[in-house]
């Protein structure tokens, strides 16, 4: 992963994880799970406006918006009883929201591997986060405003 393509928001999150000893990284992930912002009211009760991330073991749904300035907003739902998955969703929501389309699309696909959780969570869970990122990028490409 090249530092030049990692936006500051995601670099800071990655560094937060890597500064901790491995056993404490899972606790930080749980803290992120508690920080997942609620989806906007316009999505409440409108599951058809959200895309399910099938790579996740838990029911995770995401939506991407791109405003007229090509800024990304990501929204996600994940059950409280799935704190690992919810934590990953929160990392991506916090890390991608506010970025430009180009910055978001430049996030390396292997970002989930870079935060040092490989031994703390199952490969299936990391695959879920990778799936969330891939689906978010696909939605960003689809909603990109042409200049």
């Amino acid at each position: 992963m090249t530092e030049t393509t990692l936006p500051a928001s995601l670099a800071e999150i990655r560094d937060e994880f890597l500064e901790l000893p491995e056993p404490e990284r899972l606790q930080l992930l749980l803290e992120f799970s508690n920080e997942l912002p609620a989806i906007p009211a316009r999505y409440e009760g409108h599951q058809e406006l959200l895309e399910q991330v099938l790579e996740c073991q838990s029911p995770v749904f995401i939506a991407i918006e791109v405003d007229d300035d090509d800024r990304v907003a990501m929204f996600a739902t994940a059950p409280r009883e799935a704190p690992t998955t919810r934590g990953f969703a929160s990392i991506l929501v916090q890390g991608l929201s506010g970025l430009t389309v180009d910055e978001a699309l430049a996030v390396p696909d292997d970002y989930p591997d870079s935060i040092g959780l490989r031994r703390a969570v199952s490969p299936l869970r990391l695959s879920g986060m990778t799936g969330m990122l891939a689906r978010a990028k696909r939605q960003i490409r689809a909603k990109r405003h042409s200049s």
Side-chain angles (χ1 to χ4, degrees):
M1 177 165 27
T2 58
E3 196 63 39
T4 54
T5 58
L6 193 59
S9 55
L10 288 167
E12 287 171 26
I13 292 169
R14 180 202 57 208
D15 294 347
E16 261 187 89
F17 277 95
L18 296 180
E19 287 167 4
L20 292 173
E22 263 188 68
E24 294 173 30
R25 291 177 189 166
L26 203 49
Q27 183 57 43
L28 180 58
L29 185 62
L30 297 180
E31 289 173 26
F32 270 99
S33 77
N34 292 324
E35 297 170 3
L36 179 64
I39 59 171
R42 63 186 169 275
Y43 290 108
E44 290 289 341
H46 293 282
Q47 203 75 5
E48 74 280 2
L49 299 176
L50 301 164
E51 177 180 3
Q52 184 168 8
V53 180
L54 299 173
E55 295 85 349
C56 290
Q57 294 175 297
S58 306
V60 175
F61 294 86
I62 67 167
I64 294 288
E65 293 177 358
V66 176
D67 68 16
D68 292 337
D69 294 324
D70 268 357
R71 292 275 171 193
V72 172
M74 180 176 176
F75 308 104
T77 64
R80 288 212 172 271
E81 56 275 9
T84 302
T85 302
R86 190 176 167 85
F88 283 144
S90 179
I91 287 169
L92 291 178
V93 166
Q94 293 180 51
L96 293 177
S97 293
L99 297 179
T100 66
V101 164
D102 290 337
E103 288 170 333
L105 293 176
V107 171
D109 294 336
D110 65 349
Y111 177 77
D113 285 330
S114 76
I115 60 176
L117 289 170
R118 181 164 289 289
R119 291 197 286 220
V121 300
S122 72
L124 204 50
R125 296 223 185 268
L126 280 175
S127 170
M129 187 179 184
T130 302
M132 275 185 241
L133 179 57
R135 288 174 184 272
K137 286 179 163 188
R138 189 190 48 67
Q139 284 190 33
I140 291 167
R141 281 185 202 95
K143 295 179 183 202
R144 161 183 252 158
H145 289 91
S146 51
S147 307

